[in-house]
Amino acid sequence: MILIHCPYCDQTLPELEFAYAGEGHIARPTDPSALSDEDWERYLFIRDNPRGRHHERWRHIHGCGRFFNAVRDTVTDKFEMTYKAGEPRQ
Amino acid sequence: MADAAIRTAPVPAEPARFDGVTISLGLPLARWSLRGRNPQELGNALGLPVPGRIGETAGGMACLGPDEWLLRLPEGSIIPMGEGQPLSVVDISDRAITLIVEGDRALDVLSSGCPRDLSKLAVGEARRTVYETVEIVLIREGETRYAVEVWRSFAPWLHLALVTAASHLPE
Ligand SMILES: [Zn+2]
C-alpha cells in the first residue's frame, strides 16, 4: 500500500485514508464573467497530465480532513513530497 | 410527536463476547462537532480545555483536524453555543453511536480492518480513520479499551465486521 505523508497530521499514513483531488495550483479566475468560453473551458477541464513529476491535490478525507498538495511521479507512483495548501509550488 | 420518539440502537444491546475481546454498545452521549480557526478562541467561548494537536484529547474533546474537534460528554450535557463568534458548534449527538472494543485482543480485532499501525496509537489518543470501508473515530481510552465512534447508519455493518473479525482471531 502507498504511504502518504499528511503535512497537517505530520504522519505517514496509508493511502486508504486519502482521496486524490486533481491537479494542484489551479487558481479559480477572480472574475469568471470576464473570461471567454475558451478560457473558461481551459480553467474547468484542460489539465497538463504530465508523464513524470506531477503537482496534485490530495485530501486526508478519512483523517484530519484537510486538502494539501503533493508532488508525485506519474510513472513510478512515488511521492516526492507533500506540503500544506497555500504554500508555494515546490 | 417528539415525545413519542423512541431511540433504538442499531446494534444488539447484548455485548458480543469472545476469547480475549468484548464488543459492546457504549452509553448514549452528547456529541458536538466544533470548528474554529483558533483553539484558544474556541476554548474561551466554551470554557473548556481544547487540545491543540491533531490526535490529542482533553476532557472528552478530541482534536480531529487543524480546525476541527469532536466533543463527547455524558448525555444531557449542555455547552455554550458560541453565538456571535466565528465558530461552529453543532450538536451531532444522535449522528453516531459508540462501540466499545475491549480486551487483550482488542488491538488485533481493530488492526484486522484498519490500515493504520494501531500499535502506535497511545492511550488517550483519538484519530479519524477507516475500518474496512467505514469511516470511524477511534479513541484509545485505556491500555486495552478502545471506543469506536461510527455513524449510526453504518453501525450494523461495522458491528458485523468487528464481530466477524473477533470470531476469526488466530490463536
Ligand atoms: Zn491529516
Side-chain angles (χ1 to χ4, degrees):
Chain A
M1 189 179 298
I2 296 176
L3 299 176
I4 300 173
H5 185 83
C6 174
Y8 293 93
C9 294
D10 195 21
Q11 285 188 315
T12 302
L13 298 162
E15 183 191 1
L16 282 176
E17 289 192 359
F18 297 83
Y20 177 69
E23 189 174 329
H25 299 288
I26 291 174
R28 182 181 170 85
T30 47
D31 184 7
S33 60
L35 262 61
S36 68
D37 285 354
E38 288 70 28
D39 286 344
W40 186 241
E41 180 206 15
R42 200 165 300 127
Y43 159 68
L44 283 181
F45 302 117
I46 308 302
R47 297 293 178 260
D48 287 343
N49 194 27
R51 179 181 165 84
R53 210 164 178 267
H54 188 227
H55 289 76
E56 54 197 23
R57 290 198 315 157
W58 283 78
R59 186 178 179 205
H60 193 189
I61 186 166
H62 300 304
C64 67
R66 282 302 304 252
F67 283 91
F68 59 91
N69 287 314
V71 182
R72 181 181 59 98
D73 192 302
T74 58
V75 178
T76 62
D77 215 11
K78 273 217 163 70
F79 278 76
E80 184 184 313
M81 66 171 78
T82 58
Y83 50 100
K84 290 181 179 177
E87 289 179 4
R89 189 184 176 94
Q90 299 289 309
Chain B
M1 281 302 285
D3 293 341
I6 296 168
R7 191 206 308 265
T8 56
V11 302
E14 188 64 27
R17 293 178 209 282
F18 301 88
D19 206 13
V21 64
T22 301
I23 298 161
S24 54
L25 176 64
L27 291 173
L29 293 174
R31 298 177 178 84
W32 289 270
S33 173
L34 311 171
R35 306 295 300 260
R37 287 188 193 283
N38 182 334
Q40 201 77 50
E41 239 171 46
L42 185 65
N44 291 343
L46 301 182
L48 293 168
V50 175
R53 196 169 34 78
I54 299 170
E56 212 181 333
T57 59
M61 199 188 299
C63 182
L64 297 182
D67 57 2
E68 182 183 2
W69 292 264
L70 171 67
L71 176 60
R72 300 160 76 238
L73 293 176
E75 198 181 25
S77 301
I78 288 172
I79 60 165
M81 297 303 279
E83 288 94 340
Q85 300 187 59
L87 304 167
S88 162
V89 178
V90 179
D91 188 326
I92 52 163
S93 297
D94 283 317
R95 185 174 76 176
I97 63 154
T98 309
L99 294 175
I100 305 291
V101 182
E102 189 168 18
D104 291 343
R105 304 299 300 272
L107 180 61
D108 295 332
V109 171
L110 291 166
S111 296
S112 74
C114 180
R116 274 188 185 244
D117 181 357
L118 294 180
S119 65
K120 291 191 177 130
L121 194 78
V123 174
E125 194 176 333
R127 297 282 177 177
R128 183 157 46 204
T129 181
V130 283
Y131 186 88
E132 297 290 354
T133 55
V134 179
E135 185 172 291
I136 59 170
V137 174
L138 184 61
I139 306 154
R140 187 170 178 191
E141 293 186 334
E143 209 49 57
T144 59
R145 181 186 164 95
Y146 297 82
V148 181
E149 287 274 308
V150 60
W151 286 20
R152 177 172 288 271
S153 59
F154 290 95
W157 191 88
L158 181 73
H159 184 264
L160 179 66
L162 288 168
V163 164
T164 304
S167 59
H168 288 83
L169 281 176
E171 287 304 311

